[in-house]
Amino acid sequence: MPEFTDLLFYGFAGLALFFGFLCVANPLSRSPVTSAMFLVLTIVSLAGLFILLHAFFLAAIQVLVYAGAVMVLFLFVIMLLDLKEEERRRFRRFTVGVGVVAVGVIAGLLLQTVLKAVPYSQTSTVLAVGATRPLGIILFTQYLLPFELLSLLLLVAMVGVILLTKKELK
Amino acid sequence: MNYSLLTVEILTALLGLGVLLLDLWIPATSRKLLGIIAATGLGVLLVYAIGSAAPGDGTAFGGMFVVDALSGYAKGFFLVAGLIVLLLSIDSADTIHGYAEYCALILFALTGMLFAASANDFVLMFVALELITVTFYILVSFQRNRLSSLEAGVKYLILGALASGFMVFGIALIFGSANTTNFYEISTAQTALIKSPVFLTGILLTLVGLGFKIAAFPFQIWAPDVYQGAPALTTSFLATGSKAAGFVLLARVAFEAVPELTAARGHLFLGIGSITILYGSLCAIPQRSVKRLMGYSSIANAGYLLLGFGAASLAGGSAVLAYLGGYIFTVLAAFIGIQVVVSHQESDDISAFAGLARRSPWMAASLTVGLVSLAGIPPLAGFFGKLMILKAVAVQVGTSPMVILSLLVAVLGVVVGLYYYLGVLRSVYWPRSVSDLSPIPVSGTTKLALIFAVLGTVLIGVLPETTYQGARQAVAGLATPKSPATPASPPSATTQAAK
């Protein structure tokens, strides 16, 4: 009888694969917006996997930054560029070739890593580093100065965005 | 925690915030006041920084932020560059849309440079560089009614983001192999680390990011386009402050974090430096746009500075910093002339400079000093810097055939440089045809900026000893340990260590 967390893992992993497949090769729709939406679902499924690994902070960032901010940026670009041409285009031989090579290399790396991997129990202590609490502590002690300097960076970005997009300039 | 070490940085950031806020109360008709306030504030800070540079060496924030001879040396030059650019901007207060923000952004970029000068950790280095770069994305595209300015901004943004990506990936690899991002801690473990390919890849990728900032081959593609498209004021700060910050950080990584690697792979710097000199010099020959010419000139000069790193010695490092100090004044002197002509003529073609000697002797003098110094003619700062670097490299003759090759390239670069720098000056003094000889008015603040820049160029050229000693101490200081546990050492101890 598998444990509940195992069931959850298979559930999230299956969903991630399923949505990932629909994102790149949806048989029903070739619209980029639909693909982007399936990418959001893939990312959310991956966030579930992170939670199972007890990396709660990473899971939250995954949802907030990737599913939230980055995807909004994606959608903006898709909507600003007219992609009608892309929807009609079929696969090109070059694209397929590059894709196969890329998948092959990554699959090889993955296989190598899996074969080298040691059992879960021996590495589980390392996982605590990515947890919210130690991350927060290190961010506000050792890396306090860069963290504070980032606030100035964000202010600059804000000033810049307002200046460059403001309608009327006095 | 030793917060007093950060006084200059905090005050610069506060000055920027203050200028941003003051805009609310200062009426639109007296915008110049903002620039004057910013420049005055920075002038006071400069006096304070020079006055307090000697006492209080030490580290803050667990060894992340360091105040030493190098940071003191670099900060002085950064503050001067910021001051000159702000003084120069006062004239354009009414033509720049959003002048308060422009001043504030210059001050924020300056804050980033000051932090970069003191960064003793890869993470702080990255954040400080990002602060500089993100500010410059905005400053470059500031004239949004001009298409070329926007184009330059987008190009800088895309290539800059790519370079940042390389750098952050490199830092991740460094952290992965060294388990620390602190320069000092890396230097204590460097002998073992530089045998690890992961660590070497990390350092290489970090150098890609820095190579972009300093416009070294093969990451120089953006420089001519951005220099030409950006407002001349922005270009002058980009060519001095931003570039110098990249070199100061390169000096810290090369001479403090991994000096053994620098010594072992010095010929890599020589090779890259030679190609960079060749590219910059040869591409500059056919240019008609003076701003674009300065872009290629900036690439060529990055090549000379890299040769100094290739020497991988105390003399080489000191020559780099001494050259950099003179280079900042030199480029600013040239850009004061360019800025005034460009804002008056709305063109930066060489023909726009025709007869400048009769139209505005002040500007012609400034441009002449800048270009003659860049060409490396004695007795100005540019000559002294090039001489020091070539001397440091020449000592190494016999260690590798690369040394002789790079020396030959350097001399070739100087000869080609004479041709294109003096080509601009010919147009200024002996124009072929002049259509407009009306005098160009020069305001008091511009004259003040001009006096600073020209005086700096001439003084460093005539009395190089002071600058060179400062640079020498700065590089020597990098070798002394800076562990987080060490309390702030008294100044006498540091100067003794430097000797």
Side-chain angles (χ1 to χ4, degrees):
Chain A
M1 181 70 195
E3 280 184 48
F4 184 59
T5 47
D6 288 346
L7 284 178
L8 278 178
F9 170 77
Y10 289 118
F12 280 127
L15 280 178
L17 285 176
F18 178 66
F19 290 135
F21 180 79
L22 284 182
C23 171
V24 288
N26 191 338
L28 300 174
S29 153
R30 287 187 57 75
S31 155
V33 178
T34 321
S35 283
M37 286 304 151
F38 277 115
L39 188 57
V40 173
L41 291 174
T42 315
I43 290 168
V44 172
S45 317
L46 287 178
L49 290 179
F50 283 132
I51 290 179
L52 288 179
L53 288 171
H54 295 270
F56 302 113
F57 181 75
L58 211 55
I61 287 294
Q62 178 87 357
V63 172
L64 284 177
V65 176
Y66 283 89
V70 174
M71 283 315 296
V72 169
L73 210 65
F74 271 35
L75 286 176
F76 266 128
V77 172
I78 290 171
M79 285 167 184
L80 283 176
L81 301 174
D82 192 17
L83 290 178
K84 291 269 152 49
E85 194 86 355
E86 298 288 317
E87 282 179 41
R88 263 182 265 115
R89 207 183 61 192
R90 306 306 306 174
F91 293 113
R92 283 199 201 136
R93 203 174 296 165
F94 176 74
T95 329
V96 174
V98 171
V100 167
V101 170
V103 169
V105 169
I106 292 174
L109 279 176
L110 188 67
L111 204 66
Q112 198 196 4
T113 317
V114 168
L115 289 179
K116 268 192 190 167
V118 283
Y120 176 75
S121 57
Q122 290 180 14
T123 54
S124 56
T125 47
V126 183
L127 290 175
V129 173
T132 319
R133 199 180 140 81
L135 199 76
I137 288 173
I138 211 169
L139 208 54
F140 283 96
T141 52
Q142 195 184 346
Y143 293 102
L144 179 64
L145 184 62
F147 184 73
E148 292 296 331
L149 198 55
L150 277 179
S151 60
L152 197 60
L153 180 63
L154 289 177
L155 174 75
V156 165
M158 230 175 340
V159 169
V161 166
I162 292 170
L163 262 175
L164 294 178
T165 54
K166 200 161 63 171
K167 220 173 186 178
E168 283 286 310
L169 283 175
K170 298 172 285 184
Chain B
M1 188 79 68
N2 207 346
Y3 290 108
S4 60
L5 293 175
L6 282 83
T7 315
V8 178
E9 284 79 6
I10 294 174
L11 287 180
T12 312
L14 284 180
L15 188 62
L17 292 175
V19 168
L20 211 52
L21 275 180
L22 267 182
D23 187 34
L24 294 174
W25 293 290
I26 287 184
T29 44
S30 53
R31 281 247 182 72
K32 278 194 165 78
L33 198 58
L34 281 169
I36 294 170
I37 291 172
T40 317
L42 209 54
V44 173
L45 267 179
L46 176 66
V47 173
Y48 171 78
I50 290 174
S52 70
D57 285 15
T59 59
F61 289 95
M64 178 153 297
F65 184 92
V66 61
V67 173
D68 59 359
L70 174 62
S71 76
Y73 180 85
K75 278 175 198 175
F77 285 110
F78 290 148
L79 287 169
V80 169
L83 179 63
I84 292 179
V85 172
L86 277 178
L87 279 176
L88 199 54
S89 77
I90 294 173
D91 261 356
S92 325
D94 299 322
T95 48
I96 297 178
H97 299 295
Y99 180 64
E101 285 84 354
Y102 194 85
C103 287
L105 286 174
I106 295 240
L107 288 169
F108 290 147
L110 185 61
T111 313
M113 290 163 199
L114 297 176
F115 271 108
S118 276
N120 198 33
D121 189 292
F122 277 110
V123 175
L124 183 60
M125 168 179 117
F126 177 71
V127 174
L129 272 185
E130 279 305 280
L131 180 57
I132 301 172
T133 318
V134 169
T135 316
F136 269 105
Y137 296 152
I138 306 156
L139 288 176
V140 166
S141 39
F142 214 85
Q143 293 177 325
R144 31 173 259 214
N145 45 359
R146 253 182 63 222
L147 207 58
S148 61
S149 176
L150 285 178
E151 185 194 322
V154 170
K155 278 179 181 162
Y156 193 45
L157 169 70
I158 291 174
L159 290 175
L162 189 69
S164 298
F166 273 113
M167 182 180 251
V168 93
F169 191 51
I171 293 174
L173 291 182
I174 290 171
F175 181 67
S177 53
N179 203 19
T180 177
T181 49
N182 188 285
F183 290 167
Y184 171 73
E185 283 169 29
I186 286 174
S187 75
T188 55
Q190 57 173 323
T191 317
L193 279 174
I194 59 176
K195 292 192 186 94
S196 143
V198 176
F199 182 77
L200 288 183
T201 316
I203 292 284
L204 196 67
L205 289 176
T206 315
L207 291 187
V208 169
L210 286 175
F212 171 81
K213 295 296 308 169
I214 62 179
F217 184 86
F219 317 105
Q220 84 293 11
I221 300 293
W222 60 276
D225 285 355
V226 173
Y227 276 48
Q228 186 183 15
L233 263 176
T234 305
T235 314
S236 65
F237 203 35
L238 185 66
T240 53
S242 172
K243 197 183 185 76
F247 271 109
V248 170
L249 282 172
L250 190 59
R252 238 186 231 289
V253 173
F255 295 125
E256 189 187 333
V258 285
E260 288 181 20
L261 185 65
T262 316
R265 304 282 171 99
H267 52 271
L268 181 73
F269 282 115
L270 287 180
I272 294 179
S274 306
I275 302 174
T276 312
I277 293 176
L278 271 186
Y279 182 92
S281 307
L282 296 181
C283 289
I285 295 174
Q287 299 310 324
R288 293 289 302 166
S289 154
V290 175
K291 266 154 80 187
R292 200 173 176 81
L293 183 99
M294 291 305 286
Y296 284 112
S297 144
S298 153
I299 295 174
N301 278 292
Y304 284 102
L305 287 158
L306 283 175
L307 289 191
F309 282 98
S313 58
L314 180 61
S318 329
V320 166
L321 289 183
Y323 189 121
L324 207 56
Y327 179 75
I328 288 178
F329 283 111
T330 299
V331 169
L332 284 171
F335 263 104
I336 291 170
I338 295 171
Q339 150 73 9
V340 169
V341 170
V342 168
S343 64
H344 195 262
Q345 301 283 96
E346 308 243 314
S347 155
D348 68 329
D349 192 86
I350 289 185
S351 62
F353 290 78
L356 185 67
R358 271 177 281 172
R359 301 183 65 188
S360 168
W362 280 86
M363 288 304 119
S366 179
L367 196 61
T368 310
V369 168
L371 292 179
V372 164
S373 173
L374 276 174
I377 296 174
L380 297 174
F383 164 74
F384 152 70
K386 281 202 174 74
L387 183 72
M388 283 299 157
I389 284 194
L390 292 186
K391 221 172 101 183
V393 176
V395 173
Q396 314 268 328
V397 168
T399 53
S400 142
M402 200 69 201
V403 175
I404 298 172
L405 197 68
S406 56
L407 278 176
L408 286 177
V409 169
V411 173
L412 177 76
V414 172
V415 175
V416 175
L418 276 178
Y419 171 78
Y420 60 79
Y421 290 127
L422 298 188
V424 179
L425 287 185
R426 191 182 61 189
S427 174
V428 169
Y429 287 98
W430 305 280
R432 286 213 188 90
S433 61
V434 189
S435 48
D436 182 13
L437 270 179
S438 59
I440 298 175
V442 180
S443 73
T445 46
T446 307
K447 276 182 191 161
L448 191 62
L450 185 153
I451 289 170
F452 275 135
V454 170
L455 211 62
T457 314
V458 174
L459 275 184
I460 292 180
V462 179
L463 307 163
E465 205 48 38
T466 323
T467 318
Y468 190 69
Q469 281 309 324
R472 208 179 155 78
Q473 268 184 20
V475 177
L478 287 179
T480 55
K482 282 179 219 56
S483 73
T486 317
S489 53
S492 55
T494 323
T495 38
Q496 273 166 13
K499 281 167 196 163

